[in-house]
């Protein structure tokens, strides 16, 4: 497909996903407090969103402000987040990020990629999540669902797994105002239908727009 064709198809896919998932919801329960999404985004690395939500209910009950988390010891934070995995480095990142937020930004999350990337443990995926959900700016969150599914759909070769390359490709194909909601819907779709191991192609609402599925049909007809 040409870039123009991919852009048209991705637009059609986005519309289908809107029909399936009218509410594009972030799976992390940050309750409208930006600093919490900063911490939860970091904790979600190699951990499920459901686990992060569970852990953070207790964590934020004990430390309800970034100031209180900044003042906590690393060992205290580790006690709450141990089940998230990589808890030593995540606890240190959590403490340091909160200290930085309070010290350098007066507790207010900055709204630029360059500034967000200064926070410990924050890469482009988390920064784009924050830019989209907190500030309503464009941002393609290239999590495993997004990378896998958009490859299957034909936006780039399925073997491509580089998050930055995927981000740049999708950023050029999706309007900035659509990016955040699209990524949330892709996550929901990836959990419900287009799973990693057993995609439900026969009942998939995107099957006629999916390059992987259409190629499989061609193979079957030839055999």
């Amino acid at each position: 497909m040409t870039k123009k064709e991919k852009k048209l198809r991705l637009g059609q896919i986005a519309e289908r996903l809107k029909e399936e998932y009218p509410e594009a919801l972030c799976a992390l329960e940050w309750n409208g407090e930006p600093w919490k999404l900063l911490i939860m985004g970091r904790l979600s690395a190699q951990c499920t969103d459901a686990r992060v939500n569970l852990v953070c209910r207790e964590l934020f009950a004990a430390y309800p402000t970034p100031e209180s988390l900044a003042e906590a010891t690393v060992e205290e934070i580790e006690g709450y987040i141990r089940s998230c995995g990589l808890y030593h480095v995540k606890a240190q990142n959590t403490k340091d990020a909160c200290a930085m937020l309070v010290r350098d930004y007066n507790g207010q999350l900055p709204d630029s990629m360059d500034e967000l990337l200064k926070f410990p443990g924050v890469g482009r995926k988390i920064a784009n999540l924050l830019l989209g959900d907190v500030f309503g700016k464009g941002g393609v969150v290239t999590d495993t669902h997004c990378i896998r599914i958009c490859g299957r759909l034909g936006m780039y070769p399925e073997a491509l797994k580089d998050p930055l390359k995927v981000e740049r490709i999708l950023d050029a194909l999706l309007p900035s105002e659509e990016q955040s909601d699209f990524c949330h819907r892709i996550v929901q779709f990836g959990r419900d239908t287009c799973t990693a191991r057993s995609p439900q192609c026969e009942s998939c609402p995107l099957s006629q727009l999916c390059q992987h599925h259409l190629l499989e049909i061609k193979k079957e007809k030839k055999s």
Side-chain angles (χ1 to χ4, degrees):
M1 286 187 287
T2 65
K3 181 178 178 180
K4 184 177 180 180
E5 290 170 334
K6 288 180 180 179
K7 198 169 186 177
L8 176 61
R9 179 171 291 188
L10 198 56
Q12 294 172 327
I13 289 166
E15 290 304 313
R16 291 275 181 92
L17 289 174
K18 285 180 187 178
E19 295 172 6
E20 292 293 315
Y21 305 101
E23 292 186 271
L25 301 176
C26 178
L28 296 172
E29 298 169 356
W30 58 288
N31 299 324
E33 296 185 69
W35 74 274
K36 290 184 177 180
L37 187 57
L38 170 68
I39 300 306
M40 297 178 85
R42 177 65 186 103
L43 294 181
S44 69
Q46 298 184 40
C47 183
T48 66
D49 292 338
R51 169 59 56 184
V52 173
N53 288 334
L54 186 64
V55 164
C56 284
R57 285 171 202 151
E58 295 186 7
L59 178 67
F60 295 145
Y63 305 100
T65 65
E67 289 85 357
S68 60
L69 259 178
E71 292 170 1
T73 66
V74 172
E75 291 74 21
E76 287 171 337
I77 298 171
E78 285 178 350
Y80 286 93
I81 70 168
R82 187 178 298 267
S83 63
C84 286
L86 304 174
Y87 64 93
H88 291 305
V89 67
K90 287 181 178 180
Q92 187 68 62
N93 286 167
T94 295
K95 177 178 173 62
D96 292 345
C98 285
M100 182 177 171
L101 183 66
V102 173
R103 181 187 66 243
D104 299 343
Y105 298 96
N106 197 30
Q108 301 299 309
L109 202 67
D111 64 351
S112 74
M113 175 66 75
D114 288 344
E115 292 300 311
L116 290 171
L117 290 177
K118 293 179 181 178
F119 285 88
V122 173
R124 293 188 64 87
K125 185 176 84 168
I126 297 174
N128 276 322
L129 175 67
L130 294 166
L131 290 172
D133 278 42
V134 176
F135 300 107
K137 296 185 176 183
V140 177
V141 181
T142 51
D143 71 344
T144 55
H145 293 292
C146 178
I147 293 172
R148 178 182 75 253
I149 295 169
C150 290
R152 286 175 176 173
L153 292 171
M155 298 303 108
Y156 42 80
E158 286 190 56
L160 179 62
K161 302 299 179 184
D162 185 301
L164 181 56
K165 290 181 179 178
V166 169
E167 179 191 333
R168 287 173 173 166
I169 290 169
L170 295 180
D171 182 62
L173 299 175
L174 276 170
S176 60
E177 64 271 16
E178 296 279 346
Q179 292 172 356
S180 180
D181 287 351
F182 175 84
C183 291
H184 286 320
R185 291 185 174 109
I186 278 288
V187 170
Q188 293 175 279
F189 176 66
R191 290 171 176 163
D192 295 343
T193 305
C194 196
T195 59
R197 295 184 179 180
S198 54
Q200 301 169 38
C201 298
E202 297 308 315
S203 60
C204 176
L206 302 181
S207 59
Q208 296 309 305
L209 295 169
C210 176
Q211 180 170 282
H212 180 94
H213 180 64
L214 296 175
L215 288 175
E216 288 298 313
I217 290 176
K218 286 184 179 180
K219 288 179 184 178
E220 289 177 6
K221 288 181 177 178
K222 289 181 179 179
S223 60

